[in-house]
Amino acid sequence: MDVPPQIGEIALRFAISGRVTGLEPFPGGLINDSFLLETVAEDRTRRYLLQHINSDVFPRPRQVMRNIERVTRHVLARLRAEGVEDPGRRFLTLVPARDGRAWVEDARGEVWRLYDFIEGTRCLVEVETPAQAAAAGRAFGRFQRLLADLPGGPLAETIPGFHDTPERFAALERAIAADPLGRAAGCREEIAEARRLAPEAGAVVAGLASGLLPLRTVHNDCKMSNVLLDGDDDEALCVVDLDTMMPGSVLYDFGDMVRTMTTRAAEDETDLARIQVEPEFFRALVGGYRQGVGDLLVPAEVELLAFAGKLITMELAVRFLTDHLLGDRYFRIHRPRHNLDRARAQFALVRSLEERLPELERLAAAAFAGAGDGDSG
Ligand code: GN1
Ligand code: MG
């Protein structure tokens, strides 16, 4: 990724002090562009994360920013009220623009935002130990609990139907029918696999529609790499990537945790033999999540925790496959057929999750058994 020429001016429209001493691309994320901004004021170096919101994916970026303003204000106030040490390391802090808004618009009307950079942390593309899965599960669970009393009503739905899994399958069928690049012939096995899984795609949307599952404020992208771990130990400090915060089911979030925290393989692993669910990781994850989320969940949610992993993994498989067929227009790729590799990896993970499902269901039930202790994690 190149640094766009106008970016220096954009940076200066935020309420930063001192002079800019560095501005370089910051890797990670499949959608938005991020840059690390460094300033020096009175001999003190400060770093920030400058981000451009991809308006093809987020057609209403101002709405995204208003959601993020509400979430950051609420969570930071709650952390302060709880007396949490150093809240600025525990959650994202927006740096306002000089005009007081939470974002800056460039000449084309594109939206940019600036966060304080949280120093001394790392994020993992591949989970390494069960303790990391537990820590991340605790952090995301705690985050869901903090959002349960978000004032001001539901957040705006910035990407309608984001986790409407049946619609994601329908989009795949449309892509197969259109087949603009003639890639479908090379994906017969993957297409057959998607069609085998399609009947199960509606479980959570149906539960939300019937009222069996509550609609809550959720993160919608709870992958392992969206939690910052302390640089020295595996404590989970901060949940990041608030772009897709919207009303939804906690199962979307827990499903993404299962997808990214119960196998050591990365999302785009090409050695499919490596893609195995490890029940010890699931046990740690669901235990940590239980501690963080406390008594928030209703029984219908607890019952679907293990299945949610399979659901979100198949949803991602279908989204990656769709994007491969349509010519990689949505997810950033780093090599040819990258989205096909991602789809294959996710389908392999679905199969491993299917094999393990009864065992994972038992582990989830055990973690949530008994009267809740309201543990604050
Ligand atoms: C995208 O851009 P990033 O990495 O935060 C995607 C998620 C996927 C994820 C898979 C808006 O997230 O839904 O789960 O890739 N975000 C959007 O890594 O589509
Ligand atoms: Mg994201």
Side-chain angles (χ1 to χ4, degrees):
M1 190 199 331
D2 298 328
V3 179
Q6 79 285 17
I7 196 173
E9 286 160 44
I10 290 164
L12 291 174
R13 288 173 56 197
F14 287 95
I16 50 174
S17 52
R19 62 200 166 83
V20 172
T21 48
L23 191 49
E24 57 189 51
F26 188 77
L30 306 187
I31 306 290
N32 292 328
D33 305 322
S34 301
F35 305 88
L36 194 60
L37 169 70
E38 189 189 87
T39 65
V40 174
E42 290 161 11
D43 285 343
R44 191 167 161 239
T45 301
R46 285 189 65 158
R47 298 203 293 171
Y48 304 89
L49 196 65
L50 177 62
Q51 294 183 303
H52 167 239
I53 305 182
N54 178 331
S55 55
D56 292 332
V57 170
F58 296 99
R60 308 175 89 173
R62 292 160 201 82
Q63 228 176 35
V64 171
M65 289 312 299
R66 281 190 285 268
N67 279 352
I68 293 178
E69 263 188 291
R70 288 180 57 193
V71 168
T72 50
R73 191 181 305 132
H74 174 69
V75 171
L76 285 168
R78 286 289 303 271
L79 294 179
R80 285 195 197 97
E82 285 180 12
V84 167
E85 207 184 305
D86 209 355
R89 273 177 77 68
R90 299 272 169 182
F91 203 53
L92 292 168
T93 305
L94 278 172
V95 179
R98 293 192 193 277
D99 66 8
R101 275 200 297 189
W103 66 89
V104 158
E105 285 176 32
D106 68 18
R108 294 168 303 149
E110 295 287 297
V111 171
W112 296 74
R113 63 159 173 256
L114 192 69
Y115 285 121
D116 283 330
F117 187 77
I118 304 180
E119 299 289 349
T121 68
R122 64 208 169 100
C123 74
L124 302 175
V125 175
E126 299 174 31
V127 67
E128 296 152 350
T129 65
Q132 292 166 348
R138 202 175 296 121
F140 279 125
R142 189 159 191 277
F143 183 60
Q144 285 178 345
R145 199 161 44 77
L146 285 174
L147 287 164
D149 61 353
L150 178 77
L155 293 178
E157 198 181 2
T158 49
I159 302 182
F162 189 60
H163 280 299
D164 182 340
T165 318
E167 171 49 33
R168 298 291 191 180
F169 276 77
L172 173 63
E173 290 298 339
R174 291 195 293 273
I176 298 166
D179 197 18
L181 300 165
R183 290 182 174 178
C187 312
R188 285 216 186 83
E189 273 174 42
E190 291 73 25
I191 291 169
E193 188 65 347
R195 288 181 175 154
R196 178 181 76 79
L197 295 166
E200 285 183 276
V204 171
V205 285
L208 287 172
S210 72
L212 184 69
L213 296 172
L215 194 66
R216 304 180 187 276
T217 301
V218 296
H219 181 282
N220 284 314
D221 194 7
C222 287
K223 52 182 176 183
M224 184 72 214
S225 57
N226 276 341
V227 50
L228 302 183
L229 303 180
D230 190 279
D232 301 325
D233 57 33
D234 280 341
E235 191 196 355
L237 281 178
C238 179
V239 163
V240 297
D241 186 2
L242 310 175
D243 291 318
T244 46
M245 297 241 22
M246 277 181 263
S249 168
V250 291
L251 294 165
Y252 301 150
D253 285 0
F254 190 75
D256 244 326
M257 296 180 224
V258 174
R259 181 176 80 82
T260 56
M261 299 176 201
T262 66
T263 175
R264 287 179 230 231
E267 181 173 80
D268 57 356
E269 175 64 59
T270 51
D271 178 1
L272 299 188
R274 275 202 70 216
I275 304 176
Q276 298 288 339
V277 172
E278 296 185 54
E280 273 319 300
F281 281 69
F282 184 90
R283 185 204 301 272
L285 166 65
V286 76
Y289 179 65
R290 171 69 177 85
Q291 286 178 339
V293 83
D295 295 329
L296 186 70
L297 303 197
V298 299
E301 290 172 316
V302 174
E303 263 171 44
L304 287 173
L305 284 173
F307 169 76
K310 179 179 166 189
L311 180 75
I312 294 301
T313 308
M314 66 167 98
E315 181 182 293
L316 258 298
V318 161
R319 291 179 63 197
F320 288 139
L321 182 57
T322 304
D323 201 34
H324 172 70
L325 293 177
L326 295 180
D328 311 303
R329 294 188 308 203
Y330 189 96
F331 295 107
R332 183 177 293 138
I333 55 169
H334 304 295
R335 56 177 188 255
R337 297 155 65 89
H338 201 169
N339 277 314
L340 182 57
D341 288 345
R342 289 173 177 143
R344 286 186 173 148
Q346 298 301 296
F347 280 125
L349 183 56
V350 168
R351 285 189 292 277
S352 182
L353 285 164
E354 278 176 329
E355 280 162 25
R356 298 282 190 179
L357 195 59
E359 190 180 354
L360 304 188
E361 281 173 340
R362 278 196 300 278
L363 290 170
F368 277 80
D373 54 10
D375 189 304
S376 60

